[in-house]
Amino acid sequence: MKDCPVCNGMKILTEKCPSCSGVMSDKGRYMDYFDDYSPYMPIEQMKEIDGIKNDKRESKCPHLLTCEDCGEDKVFLVQEEE
């Protein structure tokens, strides 16, 4: 089984905003924002309904990033590792 290095604290996401080039903050797993119970659901099950093509098959963990300057949101796929 593969794990997300960002979720497990082994790496830190550092991305620039595509709109204003500001610093984007990692807000955690994208699917944790679906509803109140999403953070407690199995990750692989949530990948089946998150609307992101092939994230489960390609072992990628979707993270929500928000720009600290302009508020732009984007989903960034983190490659999971063994």
Side-chain angles (χ1 to χ4, degrees):
M1 184 171 168
K2 295 184 176 187
D3 296 312
C4 175
V6 176
C7 288
N8 288 289
M10 296 181 284
K11 290 186 179 174
I12 297 173
L13 279 180
T14 54
E15 291 292 312
K16 288 189 175 187
C17 177
S19 297
C20 73
S21 298
V23 176
M24 298 199 86
S25 297
D26 178 23
K27 300 299 183 183
R29 291 184 307 150
Y30 168 67
M31 58 274 252
D32 286 353
Y33 291 90
F34 290 173
D35 63 37
D36 293 342
Y37 297 101
S38 294
Y40 307 104
M41 300 295 291
I43 295 169
E44 296 303 309
Q45 181 181 350
M46 293 302 292
K47 286 183 179 181
E48 293 175 4
I49 62 166
D50 66 7
I52 299 173
K53 187 176 181 180
N54 299 328
D55 60 338
K56 183 176 180 179
R57 186 171 52 108
E58 295 175 1
S59 298
K60 294 190 176 179
C61 184
H63 280 252
L64 179 63
L65 302 180
T66 302
C67 179
E68 295 176 8
D69 296 330
C70 72
E72 176 84 16
D73 289 329
K74 95 174 194 179
V75 175
F76 183 84
L77 298 176
V78 177
Q79 183 63 55
E80 296 171 340
E81 302 172 353
E82 290 192 40

